[in-house]
Amino acid sequence: VVKIEAAVRVVAERIQIASEALAPSPTVQELSAAADVLQRGVPRETLREMRRAAKDGSLAVPLGMLTSLVARGVSVEKASVLVVDLLQRGAAPKHFIALEDRVRADVLAGKRPDESLDLRLKGIVPNLPQSAATTAADLQSATPRRPR
């Protein structure tokens, strides 16, 4: 019983952190996905940056992709910077789903996750709304820095 109570407290703390970071009105799906990403070591500031970048758009899919990338071995810093940048460029859930599907397939075929991510970004970034003045090379050359 003590272990269960401790586990529930930890989850409740993550949900509270997620709720504050994704304010003003996160959905249940966003809170659940954010709790998962926090468990993987992504800092709360990344959640805040994602909210700012997405404005009122749902973050459930981008948060799910972020969790998946980190779980597959992409560094927290690199995955966080890339997801925030994709949101700033206007990526929609379909873009995140396509990127995640392609990275997953590449990893199953034996590619390193970060190598696959770099390759697959080249096919996603040019199709984003705000990519006219930027390129996949710009995104990849950005020095990943951990959000504070």
Side-chain angles (χ1 to χ4, degrees):
V1 174
V2 173
K3 288 182 180 182
I4 293 171
E5 289 174 348
V8 168
R9 265 189 239 103
V10 168
V11 171
E13 287 173 19
R14 284 191 203 117
I15 291 172
Q16 181 63 39
I17 291 167
S19 181
E20 292 167 4
L22 299 177
S25 53
T27 66
V28 171
Q29 293 84 3
E30 288 174 324
L31 290 174
S32 176
D36 289 344
V37 86
L38 288 168
Q39 181 180 11
R40 294 279 178 187
V42 173
R44 72 179 76 198
E45 184 56 31
T46 295
L47 300 180
R48 289 187 188 111
E49 288 183 20
M50 289 175 71
R51 172 52 66 213
R52 280 191 291 272
K55 298 179 179 61
D56 294 331
S58 174
L59 290 173
V61 171
L63 285 164
M65 190 189 91
L66 179 56
T67 300
S68 178
L69 290 174
V70 173
R72 291 187 192 289
V74 176
S75 76
V76 168
E77 284 184 50
K78 181 174 186 171
S80 297
V81 168
L82 291 174
V83 170
V84 170
D85 195 40
L86 288 171
L87 286 167
Q88 290 170 338
R89 292 171 187 258
K94 68 179 182 178
H95 297 113
F96 288 100
I97 291 167
L99 182 58
E100 167 59 20
D101 287 347
R102 291 173 184 144
V103 170
R104 183 178 339 110
D106 286 347
V107 169
L108 290 173
K111 272 199 170 126
R112 288 190 353 248
D114 56 335
E115 178 182 280
S116 171
L117 185 59
D118 291 343
L119 173 68
R120 297 308 179 173
L121 280 169
K122 293 176 184 175
I124 298 283
V125 172
N127 298 314
L128 298 178
Q130 296 182 9
S131 292
T134 58
T135 66
D138 294 333
L139 179 60
Q140 291 172 342
S141 67
T143 304
R145 60 194 191 305
R146 175 169 268 179
R148 292 179 206 159

